[in-house]
Every structure is written in C-alpha cells, then in structure tokens.
C-alpha cells in the first residue's frame, strides 16, 4: 500500500509453540481480574444482608478498585527491575489467596480487607499481563494479541453480573469469589511452565517515595469518584481530597526527577505518545464503562427485562466490541495505521454516544441493537491499540512502567466516567420527576422502585429515567471528542531495535540473551 511500510520485525517469536500457551495463561488472568470487578455487583444486596453491612456495602467494590489502581505503577516498575514472570506468579497467587479469604469472610470488615488484598493482586495481574506481551510477542504483532484482552473485558462486563446473579440465587454469593480458585490454579500452572524468565536484573533502589505518592494520588481520585455523590461534591471531605490529590500530583514530578529508578520516569511525561495515549485511554474508558454499566440498568428498568435477558440484548454491543478488537489488532501491524485506527475508533465512540443519547422509553429493539453495535465497534477499536502504541514507543526496559501509566489512566478514566455519569443521571432524573405525583414506596435513588408507582404515573417516570440516561451519554460526548482530537496529533513510532521481544534476533543483537521458561 503506497505511503506505508511493513515493519521489518521477525514473526518467528510470535509463532513459537509456547506463545499460544503463554497467551492462554495471560487471557485467563485478565478474565479473572476483570470478572472480579463485575461479578460482585449483583451479589452486593445479598452480601449486605448476610454480613449485616448495608451502610458500608459500597466499600466492597470500592476497595478492589482503589487497591488495584493504586498499586498499578509499582507492579509495572518492579516488573521492569526484577523480571515480570516471578512478579506475575506472585500477584496471581496473592489474588487467589485473597479470593479464598473473600469467600470465607464472616463479616464486612473481613470482606473489605480481603478485597483490598485481592485488588493488590489483581492490579499486578493486569499490568504485568500487558507488559508480558511485550516480552513474548514481536512489535509488529502486539496489537493483534493485545486485542484479545480488550475482548475479554467486554465479555466479562456482560457475563460477570449474570454469573454473580446465578451464584447468588442458586448457590451462594461466596462462589462469586471461590470460582477464581480452579481457574487461577490452571493459570498458575500454565504460566509457570511457559512464560519467559527474566535475564536482566537491576540493583537500583526501589522508589518507595514515588510509589507512595502515586498510590496516594490514585486513592484520592478513586475516593472522590466513588463517593463524591454519596458524600456530597461540595462536602469538606470531597473538597479536601481533591485539594490533597492536586498537591500530591504537583509533588510527583520533582520527586521522580531525583529518584535513581523512578516509578514514573519523567521522560514518559514528556513523551507525546505516552501522554496523548494515556489521555485517549482515559476518555475511551470513561465512555466504555459508563455504557457497560448503565445500559443493562436502562434495559431492566425501562424495558422490564431480567438481568439475563439484558445480557442477551447487549449481545450486539459485545459482538461489535470483540470483532473490532480483533480487526484493530490485525490492522495495527503497520505503525502508520495506529493513528487512523484510534481516530476512527474514537469517532465511532462519539457516534455511539450520540445515538444512545436519543434513548427513550419507546426505543425499539431493532434501533437499540443498531445503537449497541455502533457503540461496541467504537469501544473495541481503542483500548488495546492505545497500549500497543505506547509499548512500541519506549525502550524494552521501560515497557512495564509505560504499560502501568496507560493502565493507570484507563482505570482512573473508568472510575471517573461511571461516577460522573451516575451523578448526572441521578440529578437529571430527579429534575424530570419534578411535578409528577410520585409517592408511596418510590425512591428516586432506586429506579427499580418505579414499578410500585400507579400505571398513570409509571410511564412518565420510565420516560424520565430513559431520557436522563440518554442525557448522561450526551454529557460524555465532549470528553470523547477531546480524545478524538488528541488522536489526530498522536505520532506513534516504533524503534524495532530497542523494542523487540527479548527472545527475538533483534533483542539478541542488542546484547540481550534469549529467555528461558
């Protein structure tokens, strides 16, 4: 094709017999970590009832998100310093031990503590999985393999709540955690046998201060986004957290400049590819997780379908996401296509949000399926291509840290998008209800209670909720448009000599030895 060039990197490493087995272990790990952030959602009411903790039940989800986000930069840097395989096995083992502790918890404090530990392990599993792809797959094929992980996220977002409901109703909510054990053991066995072992070590001191600052920043952001609406956006607690987080963010740069082995190398903050890709990932994840979380709620409340059927209705979205992930990964083997894929994906995200912004109580199944398909295709084209662009722009020794930066930004984007969407949905719904005779057992904070309203009022309330949901999607459009504009100015590049997988001839030409499993 005129104007493009095929990367001159060898394909042999990606076709080695062990690559398929290694990727299967990594995919299972991503499935475990991503499922664990969704499978618990439908089990929360039963957990609150059994453990008598309704007032603090939100911490069951927030604890996992907070811990997994906070430790992401540290896991990424430690993997660069000491080898990713052993840390990957450690984080997976920690995740499984914590899963058992969650399943055996006898009260809410025990469960929340176990969820923190589980988040620490899960955060390591995710970022090290993404970084390990850089060790076992050539740069030309990273996009294709990274696409698998994005598809897993989409499937987990739909399957997770369904499994959580089945376990809660048919067995026990404890199985939402215990199911991780058999899958995780298989993952550990495969990973221990086939993942490449590190051949390079560093004697540099760990940047404890940088790690503490980044963890504190992540904690502040997650707490603000998770509890801003509950505590009040103008409350002293939230305002104080925002101020403290901003101050810590300002302190990070001078601290990391002085560190011998910084958790967040300052050079990454000056890399246009890393910074723009992280911001694009932030915007894309804010939209994606808002769609994945609130569309099932819309279907169940407005159209009256069960949790299982809402998953069936979401199949066009999942299909679009899975197919576009796969195709985007294959297309991104040419470095010049990365920007085109990201611009196209973000533009389709905008189109999907605009279509979802027209949702009403009377929107039909055919129209919904079309809207979901467009949104799914857009969501699938962005996340892993962003990660590939960043990995291919940094030296091999910084792949872990770079992967952690993007993963961190995407996690914060997801928390931010869901929090802002939830706040906008609640306020707009309450505004649209003004003047309606809604009394009795109806609670505006629980849209499922619309069913108790008299039929004369119920339809108007359902229309109000549907329109409020659509408005929430429209409010995300400016953020995604900004991400689209950034994609136009993204200049991904690839240094094949520095960025080849450690087992490839290019890496060996740089003086690195081929890894052994």
């Amino acid at each position: 094709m005129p104007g493009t060039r095929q990367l001159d990197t060898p394909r042999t490493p990606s076709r080695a017999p062990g690559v398929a087995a290694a990727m299967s272990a990594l995919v299972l790990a991503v499935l475990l970590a991503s499922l664990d952030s969704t499978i618990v959602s439908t089990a929360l009411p039963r957990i609150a009832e059994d453990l008598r903790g309704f007032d603090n039940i939100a911490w069951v989800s927030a604890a996992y998100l907070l811990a997994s986000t906070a430790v992401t930069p540290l896991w990424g840097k430690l993997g660069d310093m000491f080898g990713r395989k052993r840390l990957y096995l450690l984080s997976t083992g920690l995740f499984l031990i914590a899963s058992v502790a969650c399943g055996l918890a006898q009260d809410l404090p025990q469960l929340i503590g176990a969820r923190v530990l589980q988040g620490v392990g899960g955060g390591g599993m995710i970022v090290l999985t993404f970084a390990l792809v850089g060790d076992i797959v050539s740069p030309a094929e990273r996009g294709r393999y990274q696409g698998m992980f994005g598809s897993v996220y989409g499937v987990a977002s739909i399957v997770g709540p369904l499994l959580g409901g089945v376990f809660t109703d048919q067995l026990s909510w404890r199985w939402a955690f215990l199911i991780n054990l058999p899958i995780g053991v298989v993952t550990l066995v495969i990973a221990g046998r086939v993942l490449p072992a590190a051949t390079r070590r560093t004697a540099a001191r760990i940047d404890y201060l940088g790690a503490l600052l980044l963890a504190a920043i992540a904690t502040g952001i997650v707490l603000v986004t998770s509890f801003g609406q509950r505590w009040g956006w103008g409350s002293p607690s939230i305002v104080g957290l925002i101020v403290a987080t901003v101050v810590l963010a300002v302190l990070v740069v001078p601290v990391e400049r002085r560190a011998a082995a910084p958790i967040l190398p300052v050079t990454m903050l000056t890399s246009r590819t890393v910074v723009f890709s992280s911001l694009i990932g932030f915007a894309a994840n804010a939209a994606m997780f808002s769609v994945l979380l609130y569309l099932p709620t819309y279907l169940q409340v407005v159209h009256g379908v069960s949790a299982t059927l809402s998953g069936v209705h979401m199949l066009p979205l999942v299909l679009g996401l899975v197919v576009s992930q796969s195709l985007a990964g294959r297309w991104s083997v040419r470095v010049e296509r990365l920007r085109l894929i990201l611009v196209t994906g973000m533009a389709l995200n905008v189109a999907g949000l605009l279509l979802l912004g027209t949702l009403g109580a009377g929107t039909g199944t055919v129209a919904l399926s079309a809207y979901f398909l467009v949104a799914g295709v857009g969501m699938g084209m962005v996340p892993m291509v962003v990660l590939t662009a960043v990995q291919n722009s940094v030296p091999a020794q910084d792949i872990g840290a770079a992967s952690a930066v993007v993963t961190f930004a995407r996690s914060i984007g997801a928390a931010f998008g869901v929090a802002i969407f939830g706040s906008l949905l609640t306020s707009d719904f309450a505004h649209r209800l003004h003047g309606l005779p809604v009394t009795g057992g109806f609670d505006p904070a629980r849209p499922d209670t619309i069913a108790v309203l008299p039929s004369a009022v119920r339809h108007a309330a359902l229309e109000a909720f549907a329109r409020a949901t659509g408005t929430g999607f429209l409010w995300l459009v400016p953020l995604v448009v900004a991400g689209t504009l950034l994609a136009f100015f993204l200049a991904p590049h690839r240094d094949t000599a520095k960025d080849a997988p450690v087992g490839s001839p290019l890496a060996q030409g740089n003086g690195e030895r081929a890894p052994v499993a």
Side-chain angles (χ1 to χ4, degrees):
M1 179 177 178
T4 62
R5 62 180 177 83
Q6 181 68 38
L7 295 169
D8 55 351
T9 50
R11 290 181 177 270
T12 303
S14 297
R15 292 180 177 176
V19 170
M23 290 304 298
S24 67
L26 298 180
V27 166
L28 283 175
V30 172
L31 178 63
L32 279 176
S34 56
L35 265 181
D36 214 75
S37 60
T38 60
I39 196 172
V40 179
S41 59
T42 48
L44 285 178
R46 186 67 57 82
I47 293 174
E49 181 181 345
D50 288 354
L51 300 184
R52 297 177 178 84
F54 284 97
D55 292 341
N56 296 306
I57 194 62
W59 280 102
V60 175
S61 295
Y64 182 89
L65 176 62
L66 191 155
S68 61
T69 304
V71 300
T72 292
L74 181 60
W75 279 117
K77 185 60 179 180
L78 291 178
D80 287 337
M81 294 173 66
F82 304 114
R84 282 179 271 277
K85 177 178 179 177
R86 64 172 60 185
L87 289 174
Y88 175 85
L89 297 176
L90 174 63
S91 62
T92 305
L94 185 63
F95 179 86
L96 296 181
I97 292 171
S99 296
V100 175
C102 288
L104 300 178
Q106 298 302 306
D107 55 42
L108 199 61
Q110 287 182 20
L111 179 58
I112 293 172
R115 286 287 280 174
V116 170
L117 190 63
Q118 196 181 34
V120 172
M125 288 166 62
I126 291 292
V127 69
L128 292 170
T129 290
F130 294 154
L132 277 163
V133 174
D135 291 341
I136 63 178
V137 177
S138 66
E141 295 188 340
R142 282 178 189 160
R144 180 160 64 93
Y145 284 94
Q146 296 281 19
M148 298 180 185
F149 302 136
S151 301
V152 170
Y153 272 111
V155 172
S157 66
I158 303 300
V159 174
L162 299 180
L163 285 178
V166 170
F167 288 145
T168 301
D169 294 337
Q170 305 300 325
L171 296 171
S172 167
W173 60 264
R174 298 181 185 276
W175 280 101
F177 302 107
L178 297 177
I179 190 62
N180 293 333
L181 197 58
I183 302 175
V185 169
V186 173
T187 303
L188 279 176
V189 171
I190 298 175
R193 291 177 59 88
V194 302
L195 288 182
T199 59
R200 185 173 56 230
R201 294 288 187 272
T202 177
R205 295 177 58 186
I206 299 173
D207 178 21
Y208 292 108
L209 180 56
L212 181 62
L213 279 175
L214 288 172
I217 291 170
T219 299
I221 294 173
V222 172
L223 286 176
V224 169
T225 54
S226 297
F227 295 98
Q229 183 176 352
R230 183 177 179 181
W231 295 347
W233 292 105
S235 66
S237 299
I238 294 299
V239 172
L241 280 170
I242 292 174
V243 172
T245 302
V246 171
V247 171
L248 292 175
V250 172
L251 292 175
V252 163
V253 175
V255 167
E256 294 300 88
R257 283 188 186 278
R258 289 194 293 268
I263 293 292
L264 179 62
V266 177
T267 53
M268 291 188 187
L269 299 179
T270 61
S271 166
R272 187 168 69 175
T273 299
V274 174
V275 173
F276 281 18
S277 296
S278 298
L279 292 174
I280 293 168
F282 175 94
N285 262 33
M288 181 171 74
F289 278 85
S290 296
V291 169
L292 293 175
L293 182 63
Y294 286 101
L295 275 184
T297 303
Y298 162 81
L299 290 168
Q300 292 171 42
V301 171
V302 177
H303 292 273
V305 301
S306 65
T308 302
L309 283 180
S310 69
V312 174
H313 280 276
M314 295 280 286
L315 285 178
L317 186 145
V318 176
L319 177 64
L321 190 152
V322 171
V323 172
S324 64
Q325 281 279 9
S326 176
L327 293 177
R330 292 179 181 276
W331 292 335
S332 64
V333 297
R334 291 182 183 271
V335 66
E336 292 84 356
R337 290 180 178 173
L338 288 171
R339 181 167 56 187
L340 176 60
I341 293 169
L342 288 176
V343 170
T344 304
M346 293 298 285
L348 286 172
N349 266 303
V350 172
L353 290 173
L354 290 173
L355 290 172
L356 294 174
T358 66
L359 291 178
T363 307
T365 303
V366 174
L368 287 175
S369 297
Y371 298 171
F372 293 175
L373 181 62
V374 173
V377 171
M379 290 190 302
M381 293 182 70
V382 178
M384 296 308 160
V385 176
V386 163
L387 188 62
T388 300
V390 168
Q391 287 186 345
N392 291 343
S393 71
V394 299
Q397 64 268 22
D398 288 333
I399 283 180
S403 301
V405 170
V406 179
T407 304
F408 181 85
R410 289 171 54 201
S411 297
I412 296 300
F416 174 83
V418 169
I420 296 302
F421 190 101
S423 179
L424 292 170
L425 173 62
T426 301
S427 61
D428 192 50
F429 181 45
H431 174 73
R432 292 175 183 272
L433 287 175
H434 184 70
L436 290 177
V438 287
T439 56
F442 173 71
D443 180 359
R446 293 186 55 196
D448 57 304
T449 59
I450 292 176
V452 307
L453 292 172
S455 57
V457 182
R458 191 183 310 136
H459 179 75
L462 289 175
E463 183 66 28
F465 182 78
R467 293 299 179 186
T469 303
T471 301
F473 291 125
L474 292 178
W475 276 106
L476 291 171
V477 169
L479 178 64
V480 181
V481 168
T484 307
L485 295 177
L486 288 177
F488 273 105
F489 295 98
L490 187 67
H493 61 278
R494 183 172 283 151
D495 187 337
T496 55
K498 289 190 297 182
D499 202 34
V502 291
S504 73
L506 283 175
Q508 293 170 17
N510 274 344
E512 298 179 10
R513 292 176 295 150
V516 291

